[in-house]
Amino acid sequence: MEDEILQEFLAESWENLARLDTEIVSLERQPDDKSLLASIFRTIHTIKGTCGFIGLTGLGSVAHSAENVLGQMRDGRMTVTPHAISLVLKAVDEIKEYLGGLEQTGQEPSRNNSALIEALELLAQSAMSSSEEDIPELVMPQPTPVMTPVSATAVPASPVPPAAVPTPETVQ
């Protein structure tokens, strides 16, 4: 990775993250502020896009997952909750860890952030899966299998209404 591009990315990212910290604290106090939410989204989007351009896959994955949550909030499919803000802040902290490692070594550090990414993705998907087409799957009862006693060889193999299934008292 070219040193000049990396240095420019680091300087821009640290500047953006300083502003982002302030904006997220403000968003906690004003969860309905659409312009603030749009600004936070754009900042994470910029970091994610630059990561893709210069090949920082780990850092880009964290930014992408945070961007998905922020996008759901921005688009009104998810409300701004303390839990969502907490996860986004954890993502910002993880981004800072990556940037610190990049500054020290000039290389993207190897970090295990799969639990954070999974939590962010599940949160974003929970907003997307609340559409009407998903509801029938959630409320449809699953058929209960009919259990037949092993010794009842005369019981037909086809499903039998529960009232017709022999009970231990009726099996001789």
Side-chain angles (χ1 to χ4, degrees), residues 146-149 151-158 160 164-166 171:
V146 176
M147 302 300 286
T148 57
S151 63
T153 56
V155 176
S158 63
V160 179
V165 174
V171 175

Side-chain angles (χ1 to χ4, degrees), residues 8-25:
E8 190 174 318
F9 168 72
L10 287 168
E12 182 180 312
S13 293
W14 283 121
E15 184 179 311
N16 285 337
L17 288 173
R19 186 182 71 250
L20 192 64
D21 283 338
T22 304
E23 289 179 339
I24 291 174
V25 169

Side-chain angles (χ1 to χ4, degrees), residues 124-140 142:
Q125 289 171 7
S126 71
M128 292 186 291
S129 69
S130 62
S131 67
E132 289 183 30
E133 65 190 47
D134 291 335
I135 294 172
E137 280 185 50
L138 300 173
V139 295
M140 292 295 292
Q142 295 297 317

